[in-house]
Amino acid sequence: AQKITQTQPGMFVQEKEAVTLDCTYDTSDPSYGLFWYKQPSSGEMIFLIYQGSYDQQNATEGRYSLNFQKARKSANLVISASQLGDSAMYFCAMREQLLIYNQGGKLIFGQGTELSVKP
Amino acid sequence: DGGITQSPKYLFRKEGQNVTLSCEQNLNHDAMYWYRQDPGQGLRLIYYSQIVNDFQKGDIAEGYSVSREKKESFPLTVTSAQKNPTAFYLCASSTSWDRYNEQFFGPGTRLTVL
């Protein structure tokens, strides 16, 4: 069964420094997608970045980059130049393969990492 | 503006009552989802729907029901059979069953059972 593991319940980072949030996954499916979402205290889920299992390069979106190591089954999120507004919960998620019509498309979420940015 | 709306933002329910959470999207997305989030936890899938008049159970469907009569709407009913319904409920949608399309989330409904 597919599984996402985030081993860091909480992380602290100094403002303007970089931080890495860990995510490992388990799947026997050769084709999958990995997502990172940010959840501020208000509760909404904000999509940050996506990595496909066949993508040759690591994904980047502004200050966010994904350190994708396929052989190790890890997809760590790197936030550069942390800002106070980055304080939030961060969730790693994996999307299942869609071979079977009525069983695809679901996101499987990790437990999340709470990031606190210190001024 | 395109997006997903959920109502109400806060909902209080007495034990034994059914309540319905609203989810509407104007993104023209085919697929819609309901997730439950408990404090300090990730999201767990309750139900999802790929097309109108079709939906499938997720990982924790017991005690919940849904309908998909319109493409834009995917209401969730929390029935009295749900033993521990107090949680944060998030609705999401995506464009198609292309695995690389991200899901867009609504602002959520916080349900409290009194």
Side-chain angles (χ1 to χ4, degrees):
Chain A
Q2 282 115 335
K3 185 179 179 181
I4 294 283
T5 302
Q6 294 180 254
T7 57
Q8 307 153 313
M11 289 279 288
F12 290 91
V13 64
Q14 204 68 35
E15 191 178 9
K16 299 182 184 178
E17 292 185 350
V19 62
T20 297
L21 306 183
D22 295 341
C23 172
T24 58
Y25 59 92
D26 187 20
T27 180
S28 56
D29 190 338
S31 182
Y32 50 87
L34 295 158
F35 301 78
W36 277 92
Y37 283 86
K38 172 184 177 181
Q39 187 179 41
S41 57
S42 55
E44 77 268 30
M45 297 286 284
I46 302 167
F47 167 74
L48 295 178
I49 196 167
Y50 164 81
Q51 180 84 43
S53 59
Y54 292 120
D55 292 345
Q56 296 297 313
Q57 293 185 326
N58 286 344
T60 60
E61 288 287 347
R63 294 187 299 112
Y64 305 107
S65 60
L66 204 152
N67 183 3
F68 182 47
Q69 298 186 46
K70 193 171 181 177
R72 298 180 61 184
K73 293 187 176 179
S74 73
N76 299 338
L77 177 70
V78 180
I79 305 175
S80 63
S82 296
Q83 301 172 358
L84 296 178
D86 293 335
S87 294
M89 284 289 289
Y90 288 81
F91 291 97
C92 180
M94 179 168 62
R95 190 162 190 178
E96 294 181 333
Q97 191 176 359
L98 302 173
L99 280 183
I100 302 173
Y101 175 69
N102 66 347
Q103 294 185 15
K106 299 182 292 184
L107 281 177
I108 301 166
F109 285 85
Q111 298 286 72
T113 295
E114 184 171 10
L115 177 66
S116 298
V117 180
K118 297 181 177 179
Chain B
D1 287 337
I4 303 175
T5 58
Q6 291 186 244
S7 61
K9 187 173 182 179
Y10 299 97
L11 185 58
F12 298 90
R13 188 195 94 172
K14 293 182 180 179
E15 284 195 23
Q17 286 182 336
N18 293 354
V19 290
T20 297
L21 282 57
S22 169
C23 177
E24 303 277 335
Q25 54 97 359
N26 61 4
L27 300 168
N28 200 32
H29 286 172
D30 294 311
M32 297 186 74
Y33 315 79
W34 274 106
Y35 293 91
R36 169 181 171 140
Q37 185 179 28
D38 293 287
Q41 302 295 314
L43 278 64
R44 292 183 292 167
L45 183 67
I46 305 172
Y47 267 98
Y48 62 106
S49 168
Q50 303 168 49
I51 56 173
V52 175
N53 294 322
D54 185 49
F55 49 83
Q56 288 78 42
K57 293 182 179 180
D59 301 318
I60 55 166
E62 185 176 353
Y64 300 98
S65 66
V66 293
S67 63
R68 187 86 187 275
E69 298 177 0
K70 298 186 300 182
K71 187 176 184 178
E72 304 79 21
S73 178
F74 192 40
L76 173 74
T77 297
V78 184
T79 75
S80 57
Q82 169 50 236
K83 301 301 181 189
N84 185 22
T86 294
F88 187 52
Y89 292 87
L90 284 157
C91 178
S93 69
S94 63
T95 54
S96 70
W97 286 100
D98 180 340
R99 65 178 73 89
Y100 302 134
N101 284 339
E102 74 268 21
Q103 292 182 13
F104 294 86
F105 284 81
T109 292
R110 201 166 296 277
L111 173 63
T112 302
V113 174
L114 303 174

